[in-house]
Amino acid sequence: MARLMPVILLTLGATGLAQASTLEDVRDQGHVRCGVNAAQPGFSALDDEDTYRGLDTDVCRAIAAAVLGDAESVRFVPLDSVERFTAIQSGEVDVLSRTTTWTSSRDTTMGVNFTGVSYYDGQAFMVASDLGINSALELDGADVCTQSGTTSELNLADFFRVNDMSYNPIVFDSPEQAIAGFEAGRCDVLSSDASQLYSQRMQLPDPDSAMVLTDIISKEPLGPAVRQGDDQWFNIVKWSLFAMINAEEMGITQANVEEMLDSEDPDIARLLGRDGNYGEGMGLEADWAYQIISQVGNYGEMFDRTVGAGSEFKIARGLNALWTDGGIQYAPPVR
C-alpha cells in the first residue's frame, strides 16, 4: 500500500490540473468558444443582424453568463456534422451545442461527455403534401434523403429492415444540401430529427407543400457535450442547463428574478446564491445561476422564444415539458 501512495497522489494532482484548464482558458480568452450548427433556425442560425440565435446558442449564452457574467461573451464556431466531434476533441471549441444526439458509442468512444438533454427529439419523415402519405409504413420503395455522419442514417436502415421494406438512401453532407435535394425532387422523403425537419420545412418557398409525418422512429436526446478529462468544466456546463430547468420549476423568470432575490423559499435562495455559495465547487461566483436567469431566462422562456409558442415553429413542449407538467425535463436540486 505504501508504495502505491505516491502514484495515487500524482494522479489526483494531475486530474486537478486538468479540471481547471478549460475554465482558466475561457477566462483568459474572455469568451466561450461554442460549436454550433451553421443554419438550423430555431436551434442555431444567423438572424438579420448576423447574430446566432436559437435554443442551442442560448445554452452557450447561459454558460457564458455563469462563467464570465456576460451572456454575450461567446464566439460561435459553425460546424458540420462530420467535423463537430473533431472540433471538440482537438480543443477548437470549449463546448459543442449542435443538435447532437447522446448515444452510447459517442459517449464512450469519441472522447466527449454529454452534460444533459436540452431537447428531447426523435427521428421523423417529411414528405410532399400532395403525395397523400399519412404513415411512415407507406414508404416502401421510397427514395429517402438524409445526412451523412448522423444517427439518422443508421436509424433509417434499422426502420426499413425491421418493417421489411426497401428504400433508396440519398445521402448529403449537410442539411442545406439535403433540403435542396428534397425541394428539387431528388427524393420522395426527407428524414432527420423532427426538430430539424420543422426548421427545414420553414425554409421551403411554400412550407405548406410539405408535411412532417407523426411517426417517430427513434430516441434522439440532444444536448451539449464537452471534452472528457475536465470534470470541473463538465460540471459547469451541466449545471448551467440544470439551473435553467430548476428556475422554470420554481417560477423564476427574467422578469421576476430581482424580486425573487428576497424570496424566503430556501430552494430559490440556494439557486440564486443568497443562501450559501453553490458555485464555489465549480470555481464560480455565488450568483452564477442568477446571472444565467437574469440574462438568458429559464428553460421554458428559452424554449418558447426559440422553437415554441413564441417562435414561428410553434413546437409543442411534449417531452420537453417539466416533469411536473407531463414531460420528462427534470434537474437535480441545488443544495
Side-chain angles (χ1 to χ4, degrees), residues 250-287:
M250 296 176 193
I252 311 173
T253 67
Q254 275 187 293
N256 70 17
V257 67
E258 296 293 338
E259 174 187 339
M260 288 290 192
L261 287 171
D262 297 323
S263 172
E264 295 183 2
D265 185 318
D267 290 328
I268 293 175
R270 284 191 291 268
L271 180 63
L272 298 182
R274 304 292 285 181
D275 180 10
N277 183 353
Y278 292 91
E280 185 176 12
M282 298 181 285
L284 303 180
E285 300 295 330
D287 68 346

Side-chain angles (χ1 to χ4, degrees), residues 235-254:
N235 286 335
I236 288 170
V237 175
K238 174 173 57 179
W239 280 97
S240 293
L241 176 59
F242 286 163
M244 301 179 82
I245 296 171
N246 275 320
E248 182 184 9
E249 184 177 339
M250 296 176 193
I252 311 173
T253 67
Q254 275 187 293

Side-chain angles (χ1 to χ4, degrees), residues 3 102 120 127 154 329:
R3 296 178 61 186
W102 185 352
Y120 288 96
V127 300
L154 304 176
Q329 276 293 6

Side-chain angles (χ1 to χ4, degrees), residues 2-335:
R3 296 178 61 186
L4 292 176
M5 285 298 290
V7 176
I8 293 172
L9 292 174
L10 180 61
T11 301
L12 290 173
T15 302
L17 289 174
Q19 286 177 334
S21 61
T22 307
L23 176 60
E24 291 176 356
D25 288 347
V26 167
R27 285 176 170 159
D28 288 343
Q29 67 203 17
H31 58 259
V32 177
R33 297 171 303 168
C34 185
V36 296
N37 198 309
Q40 187 173 345
F43 289 85
S44 175
L46 289 171
D47 63 12
D48 294 337
E49 298 179 353
D50 286 336
T51 300
Y52 278 102
R53 299 293 179 193
L55 189 144
D56 284 344
T57 59
D58 276 357
V59 169
C60 298
R61 290 186 173 92
I63 298 164
V67 174
L68 301 169
D70 180 8
E72 297 307 317
S73 293
V74 184
R75 181 167 72 84
F76 294 105
V77 181
L79 301 169
D80 64 31
S81 60
V82 176
E83 65 191 4
R84 56 184 165 176
F85 289 110
T86 301
I88 187 67
Q89 293 161 355
S90 68
E92 179 185 348
V93 296
D94 304 308
V95 59
L96 180 67
S97 185
R98 190 198 174 282
T99 51
T100 299
T101 302
W102 185 352
T103 69
S104 62
S105 59
R106 288 174 174 178
D107 204 29
T108 60
T109 67
M110 302 292 286
V112 300
N113 281 327
F114 285 85
T115 62
V117 179
S118 55
Y119 188 93
Y120 288 96
D121 206 354
Q123 187 168 337
F125 298 91
M126 183 165 71
V127 300
S129 299
D130 59 10
L131 286 180
I133 292 175
N134 297 303
S135 168
L137 296 176
E138 300 174 45
L139 298 177
D140 190 17
D143 293 330
V144 183
C145 287
T146 192
Q147 190 180 341
S148 63
T150 65
T151 54
S152 300
E153 210 176 354
L154 304 176
N155 293 335
L156 278 177
D158 289 345
F159 174 77
F160 279 90
R161 183 178 65 253
V162 166
N163 288 286
D164 196 25
M165 300 191 303
S166 64
Y167 77 108
N168 176 34
I170 301 175
V171 182
F172 296 91
D173 292 332
S174 70
E176 295 80 13
Q177 293 174 348
I179 188 62
F182 176 79
E183 186 180 354
R186 292 189 59 186
C187 52
D188 309 304
V189 185
L190 177 60
S191 187
S192 184
D193 293 350
S195 59
Q196 181 160 293
L197 294 179
Y198 284 118
S199 176
Q200 291 175 312
R201 179 176 172 272
M202 296 303 296
Q203 298 173 49
L204 295 172
D206 178 15
D208 290 335
S209 66
M211 60 181 289
V212 178
L213 301 179
T214 57
D215 306 73
I216 299 295
I217 68 168
S218 71
K219 294 187 294 185
E220 305 292 333
L222 311 179
V226 297
R227 284 182 300 284
Q228 289 183 356
D230 190 338
D231 289 348
Q232 182 184 45
W233 187 247
F234 171 74
N235 286 335
I236 288 170
V237 175
K238 174 173 57 179
W239 280 97
S240 293
L241 176 59
F242 286 163
M244 301 179 82
I245 296 171
N246 275 320
E248 182 184 9
E249 184 177 339
M250 296 176 193
I252 311 173
T253 67
Q254 275 187 293
N256 70 17
V257 67
E258 296 293 338
E259 174 187 339
M260 288 290 192
L261 287 171
D262 297 323
S263 172
E264 295 183 2
D265 185 318
D267 290 328
I268 293 175
R270 284 191 291 268
L271 180 63
L272 298 182
R274 304 292 285 181
D275 180 10
N277 183 353
Y278 292 91
E280 185 176 12
M282 298 181 285
L284 303 180
E285 300 295 330
D287 68 346
W288 62 279
Y290 163 81
Q291 296 295 339
I292 293 173
I293 301 160
S294 64
Q295 298 183 50
V296 184
N298 66 37
Y299 178 83
E301 291 177 297
M302 176 179 69
F303 187 99
D304 286 347
R305 69 169 170 261
T306 57
V307 298
S311 74
E312 62 181 332
F313 305 103
K314 312 296 182 187
I315 298 175
R317 285 290 291 268
L319 293 178
N320 292 291
L322 294 179
W323 66 287
T324 52
D325 295 328
I328 59 175
Q329 276 293 6
Y330 182 101
V334 172
R335 65 172 310 121

